[in-house]
Amino acid sequence: MRGFGRAVVRLRVPILILAIILLIPSAIGYLNTRTNYDILSYLPKEIETMKGQEILADDFGTGAFSLIVVEGMKDKDIREMAAKAEQVEHVRKVLWYGALMDASIPPELLPQKYLKELKNGDAILMIAVYDSTMSSDETMNALEEIRKITDDKMQISGMSAIVVDTKNLADREIPGYVAIASILCLIVLMITMDSILIPVLFLLSIGFAVIYNLGSNFIQGEISYLTKALAAVLQLAVTMDYSIFLWHSYSAEKKRDVHQDKKEAMAVAINETLSSVVGSSVTTVAGFVALMFMSFTMGLDMGIVMAKGVIIGVICCVTVLPSMVLLLDKAIEKTSHKPLLPSFAGLSKWVVKHYYIGIILFVVLIIPAYYGQSHNQVYYNLDSSLPKYLPCIKAGEKLQEKFKMNSTHMILLDSNMDSKQVNKMVEEIKKLDGVKTTLGMTTLMGPMFPKEFVPKALTKVLDNGEYQLIFIMSEYKVATDEVNRQCDQIKEILKRYDQNGMLIGEAPCTEDLINITDHDFMVVNGLSILMVALIILLVFRSFTLPVLLVAVIEFAIFINMGIPHYTGTVLPFIASIVIGTIQLGSTVDYAILMTTKYKGARMSGLGKNEAVESALMNSINSIVVSALSFFAATIGVGIYSDIDMIGSLCSLMARGAIISMFVVILLLPAVLKLCDGLVVRTTFGMKRAVLGRRNGRTGQLNDSEETSVS
């Protein structure tokens, strides 16, 4: 026993004790890590909409608002309910037509154009204004309190309501994600492995790693709900290979006669596993690192958590898992059984013999696959990912039904701007298609509406002396071409009157999200391909293999991401950015494993056909088990989740693992066979080894043999 492996074997009991103890601070760290449920908060801080949100919160004291629809209530009861809502901490003001003037002033004095827009039959439109930011804990708690006070008599919509309902749904579902992924993965492993107990130890070891990873997120302060929901499932999916490799290596070493006992066999297996999984994990980490370069900083959030998770997974695989296996070795042997996977020897021969089938499939599928993945429909409207039964969705439908409103923008304007200019600007904005009405101090106070009639509490909400706030109600839905065009037109008008004026709100932020993520898609995909190709170049010391292996997996990605176009599936915007890099980073290992065996067989003296067949035969079992484990860990969550953004991502990852498995098994052998001469010539040391082996076996090569590798 030598080095690291020897130390792990000797300290197996202290390692397990320490592993258990570390669960305590990890659990504390997890419980004290805040979860951010607002995706728009990850937009770059330097863009104008985010600067406007900051000014609104810091200088104006108004960080968020909710639109509320009330039906079937008298003005007196509404006034009482609004007063109760205003007593809730962090609720600054509840605006409605009754709040636009003193209670002693009859509503008839209110300009009819505003009364008409804020009242439709027995339906009343209200705006709850908060002094905290859109997705802060304070705002979410305040909104929940308003719902309790109003006893469901008020239907609350808007971004803050979406955040609250997303939080409640995600918090309820996330434990189910972990349970479903673990159970399905356990079933697959019990079928494909040679022991009933060893899959349980795999899951325990990875469970330790998951808890450590989630606990260490405390250092970041907060993580997105999307990262929180996917972290455990994805970490289980991408790190299971390492545990399988350790077990296979240990089982092989136990059968050899060179070791004195099982401890020595495990020490050797640990060392072999460490050297192998470090190389394997680097490509996976590279995929997650690529996400960190997104301008949309949710990529940084997810990239840090998942890259850290892979590294922690490797550490637990070569420390915690071997300690468990050694302590329970006898129990593992008692629960051993023959793996139920069939032999793939016949399939390997058939694939290599009929290699042209892989090439034909590539030629037939590459164009429609590429076209499909580049013409997918995606949605950016965050409520599109939520089920229709949630209160915020029902409230949004009621708002549209009663007031024909689907989004609300806000203008921050110089408070000292001449009222005539403000009115002129507002009149221009109101003429735009889709603009329902506007609400602000200057627009409210026409020549027939005395300023002294306006309550001071309302004045402070709409004008703080430095900025004045104008609400713009729009018929158009967030993230549509119509609302984006409307926002552009409003900004053009605004800048003519106040160069420093800002348009903010969910729709302008979402328009920025669309522009930023389109750029991020190009950056992340290009960077992940470059990083993975560079790693393959260093591993194989070859100029050809990086291109070939990346091309094979990119073909699998094109198929996976092209399918939604032909099935008419609309994907969440984040899917097009992260799926490609995750699938590349996590499944290129299949291609690397087979290529490693091909290179070894070729350099040992086998001809190209024999080398490719041997590589496929000796790697296909591992590829199938790995892909099925990945599939099992993600498909259940994809089916179970009511949050489409999470369900779609998991379904795409599950399908991507299976597609990559088939592409590597069917296409990569054909690629290696066809490009054998090019690979041999462009891989450092390979040509000399192949020629040397042939010379040693058959003497000098004839001209045709020399040409085949020259």
Side-chain angles (χ1 to χ4, degrees), residues 401-433:
E401 174 193 339
K402 293 294 182 179
F403 296 97
K404 300 293 184 283
M405 293 181 189
N406 282 294
S407 59
T408 303
H409 323 316
M410 292 176 286
I411 286 179
L412 275 179
L413 202 63
D414 185 354
S415 183
N416 297 318
M417 187 173 171
D418 183 72
S419 60
K420 292 182 180 180
Q421 288 294 97
V422 174
N423 279 318
K424 186 178 178 182
M425 179 193 74
V426 170
E427 287 304 315
E428 281 194 56
I429 292 174
K430 289 175 67 176
K431 291 177 183 178
L432 296 176
D433 291 341

mmCIF file of all heavy atoms in Angstrom, residues 401-433:
data_model
loop_
_atom_site.group_PDB
_atom_site.id
_atom_site.type_symbol
_atom_site.label_atom_id
_atom_site.label_comp_id
_atom_site.label_asym_id
_atom_site.label_seq_id
_atom_site.Cartn_x
_atom_site.Cartn_y
_atom_site.Cartn_z
ATOM 1 N N GLU A 401 -58.728 39.858 -17.477
ATOM 2 C CA GLU A 401 -60.157 39.748 -17.771
ATOM 3 C C GLU A 401 -60.905 41.038 -17.442
ATOM 4 O O GLU A 401 -61.729 41.514 -18.236
ATOM 5 C CB GLU A 401 -60.749 38.581 -16.963
ATOM 6 C CG GLU A 401 -62.263 38.443 -17.078
ATOM 7 C CD GLU A 401 -62.827 37.490 -16.042
ATOM 8 O OE1 GLU A 401 -62.067 36.642 -15.512
ATOM 9 O OE2 GLU A 401 -64.034 37.594 -15.731
ATOM 10 N N LYS A 402 -60.624 41.627 -16.272
ATOM 11 C CA LYS A 402 -61.389 42.776 -15.802
ATOM 12 C C LYS A 402 -60.852 44.109 -16.312
ATOM 13 O O LYS A 402 -61.615 45.057 -16.527
ATOM 14 C CB LYS A 402 -61.413 42.790 -14.272
ATOM 15 C CG LYS A 402 -62.199 41.632 -13.655
ATOM 16 C CD LYS A 402 -63.689 41.732 -13.996
ATOM 17 C CE LYS A 402 -64.501 40.632 -13.354
ATOM 18 N NZ LYS A 402 -65.944 40.737 -13.647
ATOM 19 N N PHE A 403 -59.526 44.209 -16.464
ATOM 20 C CA PHE A 403 -58.944 45.514 -16.787
ATOM 21 C C PHE A 403 -58.090 45.508 -18.052
ATOM 22 O O PHE A 403 -57.482 46.520 -18.392
ATOM 23 C CB PHE A 403 -58.109 46.021 -15.605
ATOM 24 C CG PHE A 403 -58.926 46.278 -14.376
ATOM 25 C CD1 PHE A 403 -59.014 45.329 -13.374
ATOM 26 C CD2 PHE A 403 -59.629 47.463 -14.231
ATOM 27 C CE1 PHE A 403 -59.771 45.549 -12.235
ATOM 28 C CE2 PHE A 403 -60.391 47.702 -13.095
ATOM 29 C CZ PHE A 403 -60.471 46.740 -12.096
ATOM 30 N N LYS A 404 -58.036 44.355 -18.719
ATOM 31 C CA LYS A 404 -57.254 44.235 -19.954
ATOM 32 C C LYS A 404 -55.801 44.676 -19.748
ATOM 33 O O LYS A 404 -55.185 45.293 -20.614
ATOM 34 C CB LYS A 404 -57.880 45.076 -21.075
ATOM 35 C CG LYS A 404 -59.303 44.671 -21.426
ATOM 36 C CD LYS A 404 -59.351 43.302 -22.044
ATOM 37 C CE LYS A 404 -60.753 42.918 -22.500
ATOM 38 N NZ LYS A 404 -61.648 42.515 -21.432
ATOM 39 N N MET A 405 -55.257 44.352 -18.572
ATOM 40 C CA MET A 405 -53.874 44.697 -18.243
ATOM 41 C C MET A 405 -53.058 43.431 -18.075
ATOM 42 O O MET A 405 -53.510 42.474 -17.445
ATOM 43 C CB MET A 405 -53.796 45.521 -16.957
ATOM 44 C CG MET A 405 -54.399 46.902 -17.060
ATOM 45 S SD MET A 405 -54.229 47.803 -15.500
ATOM 46 C CE MET A 405 -55.250 49.236 -15.829
ATOM 47 N N ASN A 406 -51.863 43.436 -18.637
ATOM 48 C CA ASN A 406 -50.986 42.273 -18.512
ATOM 49 C C ASN A 406 -49.609 42.620 -17.961
ATOM 50 O O ASN A 406 -48.867 41.732 -17.561
ATOM 51 C CB ASN A 406 -50.828 41.592 -19.872
ATOM 52 C CG ASN A 406 -52.037 40.754 -20.232
ATOM 53 O OD1 ASN A 406 -52.343 39.754 -19.591
ATOM 54 N ND2 ASN A 406 -52.763 41.185 -21.266
ATOM 55 N N SER A 407 -49.259 43.889 -17.964
ATOM 56 C CA SER A 407 -47.959 44.285 -17.414
ATOM 57 C C SER A 407 -48.020 45.746 -16.985
ATOM 58 O O SER A 407 -48.869 46.509 -17.450
ATOM 59 C CB SER A 407 -46.833 44.087 -18.446
ATOM 60 O OG SER A 407 -47.076 44.841 -19.620
ATOM 61 N N THR A 408 -47.131 46.103 -16.082
ATOM 62 C CA THR A 408 -47.061 47.481 -15.576
ATOM 63 C C THR A 408 -45.613 47.949 -15.596
ATOM 64 O O THR A 408 -44.732 47.274 -15.064
ATOM 65 C CB THR A 408 -47.596 47.564 -14.134
ATOM 66 O OG1 THR A 408 -48.934 47.069 -14.101
ATOM 67 C CG2 THR A 408 -47.586 48.997 -13.645
ATOM 68 N N HIS A 409 -45.366 49.078 -16.244
ATOM 69 C CA HIS A 409 -44.030 49.678 -16.265
ATOM 70 C C HIS A 409 -44.013 50.865 -15.305
ATOM 71 O O HIS A 409 -45.063 51.394 -14.915
ATOM 72 C CB HIS A 409 -43.650 50.183 -17.667
ATOM 73 C CG HIS A 409 -44.145 49.318 -18.791
ATOM 74 N ND1 HIS A 409 -44.057 47.951 -18.764
ATOM 75 C CD2 HIS A 409 -44.733 49.646 -19.984
ATOM 76 C CE1 HIS A 409 -44.562 47.464 -19.893
ATOM 77 N NE2 HIS A 409 -44.982 48.473 -20.643
ATOM 78 N N MET A 410 -42.818 51.301 -14.972
ATOM 79 C CA MET A 410 -42.649 52.488 -14.134
ATOM 80 C C MET A 410 -41.619 53.412 -14.761
ATOM 81 O O MET A 410 -40.590 52.949 -15.261
ATOM 82 C CB MET A 410 -42.203 52.095 -12.725
ATOM 83 C CG MET A 410 -43.258 51.357 -11.920
ATOM 84 S SD MET A 410 -42.627 50.812 -10.313
ATOM 85 C CE MET A 410 -41.587 49.445 -10.822
ATOM 86 N N ILE A 411 -41.918 54.686 -14.720
ATOM 87 C CA ILE A 411 -40.973 55.706 -15.181
ATOM 88 C C ILE A 411 -40.464 56.477 -13.968
ATOM 89 O O ILE A 411 -41.246 56.939 -13.135
ATOM 90 C CB ILE A 411 -41.640 56.677 -16.172
ATOM 91 C CG1 ILE A 411 -41.842 56.006 -17.535
ATOM 92 C CG2 ILE A 411 -40.803 57.942 -16.334
ATOM 93 C CD1 ILE A 411 -42.519 56.908 -18.557
ATOM 94 N N LEU A 412 -39.144 56.596 -13.873
ATOM 95 C CA LEU A 412 -38.516 57.473 -12.879
ATOM 96 C C LEU A 412 -38.108 58.747 -13.603
ATOM 97 O O LEU A 412 -37.328 58.717 -14.561
ATOM 98 C CB LEU A 412 -37.295 56.791 -12.261
ATOM 99 C CG LEU A 412 -37.543 55.851 -11.084
ATOM 100 C CD1 LEU A 412 -36.218 55.256 -10.612
ATOM 101 C CD2 LEU A 412 -38.221 56.574 -9.931
ATOM 102 N N LEU A 413 -38.629 59.851 -13.122
ATOM 103 C CA LEU A 413 -38.478 61.117 -13.824
ATOM 104 C C LEU A 413 -38.006 62.189 -12.844
ATOM 105 O O LEU A 413 -38.282 62.112 -11.648
ATOM 106 C CB LEU A 413 -39.839 61.510 -14.407
ATOM 107 C CG LEU A 413 -39.914 62.484 -15.577
ATOM 108 C CD1 LEU A 413 -39.221 61.896 -16.797
ATOM 109 C CD2 LEU A 413 -41.385 62.757 -15.914
ATOM 110 N N ASP A 414 -37.300 63.194 -13.366
ATOM 111 C CA ASP A 414 -36.851 64.312 -12.541
ATOM 112 C C ASP A 414 -38.061 64.991 -11.893
ATOM 113 O O ASP A 414 -39.010 65.399 -12.563
ATOM 114 C CB ASP A 414 -36.100 65.313 -13.424
ATOM 115 C CG ASP A 414 -35.489 66.454 -12.611
ATOM 116 O OD1 ASP A 414 -35.758 66.524 -11.386
ATOM 117 O OD2 ASP A 414 -34.760 67.264 -13.197
ATOM 118 N N SER A 415 -38.016 65.086 -10.567
ATOM 119 C CA SER A 415 -39.144 65.663 -9.829
ATOM 120 C C SER A 415 -39.369 67.136 -10.175
ATOM 121 O O SER A 415 -40.487 67.646 -10.063
ATOM 122 C CB SER A 415 -38.899 65.510 -8.323
ATOM 123 O OG SER A 415 -39.985 65.984 -7.585
ATOM 124 N N ASN A 416 -38.318 67.834 -10.593
ATOM 125 C CA ASN A 416 -38.415 69.269 -10.890
ATOM 126 C C ASN A 416 -38.807 69.555 -12.330
ATOM 127 O O ASN A 416 -38.854 70.715 -12.741
ATOM 128 C CB ASN A 416 -37.081 69.953 -10.587
ATOM 129 C CG ASN A 416 -36.730 69.866 -9.114
ATOM 130 O OD1 ASN A 416 -37.585 70.050 -8.243
ATOM 131 N ND2 ASN A 416 -35.465 69.563 -8.824
ATOM 132 N N MET A 417 -39.078 68.533 -13.079
ATOM 133 C CA MET A 417 -39.452 68.721 -14.480
ATOM 134 C C MET A 417 -40.785 69.466 -14.577
ATOM 135 O O MET A 417 -41.707 69.221 -13.788
ATOM 136 C CB MET A 417 -39.556 67.354 -15.165
ATOM 137 C CG MET A 417 -39.780 67.429 -16.657
ATOM 138 S SD MET A 417 -39.682 65.769 -17.379
ATOM 139 C CE MET A 417 -40.241 66.122 -19.038
ATOM 140 N N ASP A 418 -40.892 70.398 -15.499
ATOM 141 C CA ASP A 418 -42.096 71.206 -15.668
ATOM 142 C C ASP A 418 -43.311 70.309 -15.892
ATOM 143 O O ASP A 418 -43.282 69.373 -16.693
ATOM 144 C CB ASP A 418 -41.921 72.145 -16.860
ATOM 145 C CG ASP A 418 -43.116 73.059 -17.034
ATOM 146 O OD1 ASP A 418 -43.290 73.972 -16.226
ATOM 147 O OD2 ASP A 418 -43.883 72.815 -17.989
ATOM 148 N N SER A 419 -44.403 70.593 -15.163
ATOM 149 C CA SER A 419 -45.593 69.737 -15.227
ATOM 150 C C SER A 419 -46.195 69.698 -16.633
ATOM 151 O O SER A 419 -46.748 68.681 -17.055
ATOM 152 C CB SER A 419 -46.638 70.204 -14.218
ATOM 153 O OG SER A 419 -47.033 71.536 -14.482
ATOM 154 N N LYS A 420 -46.087 70.824 -17.365
ATOM 155 C CA LYS A 420 -46.607 70.829 -18.735
ATOM 156 C C LYS A 420 -45.834 69.855 -19.617
ATOM 157 O O LYS A 420 -46.421 69.151 -20.448
ATOM 158 C CB LYS A 420 -46.538 72.245 -19.316
ATOM 159 C CG LYS A 420 -47.490 73.235 -18.660
ATOM 160 C CD LYS A 420 -47.397 74.604 -19.322
ATOM 161 C CE LYS A 420 -48.364 75.588 -18.660
ATOM 162 N NZ LYS A 420 -48.284 76.936 -19.282
ATOM 163 N N GLN A 421 -44.513 69.808 -19.423
ATOM 164 C CA GLN A 421 -43.699 68.878 -20.198
ATOM 165 C C GLN A 421 -44.025 67.428 -19.826
ATOM 166 O O GLN A 421 -44.078 66.551 -20.688
ATOM 167 C CB GLN A 421 -42.207 69.154 -19.945
ATOM 168 C CG GLN A 421 -41.699 70.430 -20.568
ATOM 169 C CD GLN A 421 -41.718 70.369 -22.077
ATOM 170 O OE1 GLN A 421 -42.647 70.841 -22.730
ATOM 171 N NE2 GLN A 421 -40.688 69.747 -22.645
ATOM 172 N N VAL A 422 -44.238 67.213 -18.523
ATOM 173 C CA VAL A 422 -44.583 65.856 -18.090
ATOM 174 C C VAL A 422 -45.902 65.423 -18.720
ATOM 175 O O VAL A 422 -46.021 64.313 -19.247
ATOM 176 C CB VAL A 422 -44.684 65.777 -16.550
ATOM 177 C CG1 VAL A 422 -45.176 64.393 -16.126
ATOM 178 C CG2 VAL A 422 -43.347 66.078 -15.903
ATOM 179 N N ASN A 423 -46.890 66.307 -18.673
ATOM 180 C CA ASN A 423 -48.188 65.978 -19.264
ATOM 181 C C ASN A 423 -48.081 65.744 -20.766
ATOM 182 O O ASN A 423 -48.729 64.851 -21.321
ATOM 183 C CB ASN A 423 -49.204 67.089 -18.981
ATOM 184 C CG ASN A 423 -49.801 66.992 -17.591
ATOM 185 O OD1 ASN A 423 -50.130 65.906 -17.130
ATOM 186 N ND2 ASN A 423 -49.931 68.129 -16.921
ATOM 187 N N LYS A 424 -47.250 66.535 -21.410
ATOM 188 C CA LYS A 424 -47.056 66.374 -22.849
ATOM 189 C C LYS A 424 -46.411 65.019 -23.146
ATOM 190 O O LYS A 424 -46.811 64.308 -24.080
ATOM 191 C CB LYS A 424 -46.177 67.516 -23.372
ATOM 192 C CG LYS A 424 -46.027 67.521 -24.882
ATOM 193 C CD LYS A 424 -45.178 68.724 -25.321
ATOM 194 C CE LYS A 424 -44.986 68.708 -26.836
ATOM 195 N NZ LYS A 424 -44.122 69.841 -27.281
ATOM 196 N N MET A 425 -45.408 64.651 -22.341
ATOM 197 C CA MET A 425 -44.739 63.360 -22.511
ATOM 198 C C MET A 425 -45.718 62.209 -22.283
ATOM 199 O O MET A 425 -45.775 61.248 -23.062
ATOM 200 C CB MET A 425 -43.573 63.240 -21.525
ATOM 201 C CG MET A 425 -42.829 61.919 -21.592
ATOM 202 S SD MET A 425 -41.732 61.663 -20.176
ATOM 203 C CE MET A 425 -42.953 61.299 -18.894
ATOM 204 N N VAL A 426 -46.520 62.333 -21.209
ATOM 205 C CA VAL A 426 -47.476 61.277 -20.882
ATOM 206 C C VAL A 426 -48.518 61.122 -21.988
ATOM 207 O O VAL A 426 -48.909 59.993 -22.330
ATOM 208 C CB VAL A 426 -48.149 61.563 -19.522
ATOM 209 C CG1 VAL A 426 -49.325 60.613 -19.295
ATOM 210 C CG2 VAL A 426 -47.141 61.437 -18.397
ATOM 211 N N GLU A 427 -48.959 62.226 -22.549
ATOM 212 C CA GLU A 427 -49.936 62.154 -23.636
ATOM 213 C C GLU A 427 -49.351 61.403 -24.832
ATOM 214 O O GLU A 427 -50.063 60.644 -25.504
ATOM 215 C CB GLU A 427 -50.379 63.563 -24.044
ATOM 216 C CG GLU A 427 -51.295 64.245 -23.040
ATOM 217 C CD GLU A 427 -52.540 63.428 -22.739
ATOM 218 O OE1 GLU A 427 -53.158 62.920 -23.703
ATOM 219 O OE2 GLU A 427 -52.883 63.272 -21.553
ATOM 220 N N GLU A 428 -48.092 61.626 -25.127
ATOM 221 C CA GLU A 428 -47.441 60.877 -26.212
ATOM 222 C C GLU A 428 -47.409 59.382 -25.902
ATOM 223 O O GLU A 428 -47.670 58.545 -26.760
ATOM 224 C CB GLU A 428 -46.010 61.385 -26.431
ATOM 225 C CG GLU A 428 -45.903 62.665 -27.224
ATOM 226 C CD GLU A 428 -44.470 62.921 -27.678
ATOM 227 O OE1 GLU A 428 -43.896 62.038 -28.344
ATOM 228 O OE2 GLU A 428 -43.933 63.997 -27.345
ATOM 229 N N ILE A 429 -47.069 59.067 -24.660
ATOM 230 C CA ILE A 429 -46.985 57.657 -24.260
ATOM 231 C C ILE A 429 -48.358 56.997 -24.323
ATOM 232 O O ILE A 429 -48.497 55.851 -24.768
ATOM 233 C CB ILE A 429 -46.389 57.542 -22.839
ATOM 234 C CG1 ILE A 429 -44.915 57.957 -22.858
ATOM 235 C CG2 ILE A 429 -46.535 56.116 -22.297
ATOM 236 C CD1 ILE A 429 -44.266 58.014 -21.492
ATOM 237 N N LYS A 430 -49.393 57.716 -23.900
ATOM 238 C CA LYS A 430 -50.737 57.141 -23.876
ATOM 239 C C LYS A 430 -51.269 56.848 -25.276
ATOM 240 O O LYS A 430 -52.186 56.031 -25.444
ATOM 241 C CB LYS A 430 -51.692 58.077 -23.132
ATOM 242 C CG LYS A 430 -51.445 58.118 -21.628
ATOM 243 C CD LYS A 430 -52.314 59.145 -20.941
ATOM 244 C CE LYS A 430 -53.784 58.775 -20.997
ATOM 245 N NZ LYS A 430 -54.612 59.740 -20.226
ATOM 246 N N LYS A 431 -50.699 57.493 -26.284
ATOM 247 C CA LYS A 431 -51.135 57.249 -27.662
ATOM 248 C C LYS A 431 -50.513 55.979 -28.256
ATOM 249 O O LYS A 431 -50.938 55.533 -29.324
ATOM 250 C CB LYS A 431 -50.771 58.451 -28.538
ATOM 251 C CG LYS A 431 -51.591 59.704 -28.225
ATOM 252 C CD LYS A 431 -51.140 60.879 -29.074
ATOM 253 C CE LYS A 431 -51.914 62.152 -28.701
ATOM 254 N NZ LYS A 431 -51.438 63.322 -29.499
ATOM 255 N N LEU A 432 -49.525 55.427 -27.547
ATOM 256 C CA LEU A 432 -48.875 54.214 -28.057
ATOM 257 C C LEU A 432 -49.825 53.031 -27.992
ATOM 258 O O LEU A 432 -50.650 52.926 -27.079
ATOM 259 C CB LEU A 432 -47.613 53.903 -27.235
ATOM 260 C CG LEU A 432 -46.488 54.926 -27.290
ATOM 261 C CD1 LEU A 432 -45.357 54.496 -26.346
ATOM 262 C CD2 LEU A 432 -45.954 55.076 -28.707
ATOM 263 N N ASP A 433 -49.693 52.142 -28.947
ATOM 264 C CA ASP A 433 -50.524 50.942 -28.958
ATOM 265 C C ASP A 433 -50.312 50.132 -27.685
ATOM 266 O O ASP A 433 -49.177 49.913 -27.251
ATOM 267 C CB ASP A 433 -50.169 50.056 -30.166
ATOM 268 C CG ASP A 433 -50.591 50.695 -31.478
ATOM 269 O OD1 ASP A 433 -51.445 51.596 -31.440
ATOM 270 O OD2 ASP A 433 -50.065 50.288 -32.528
#
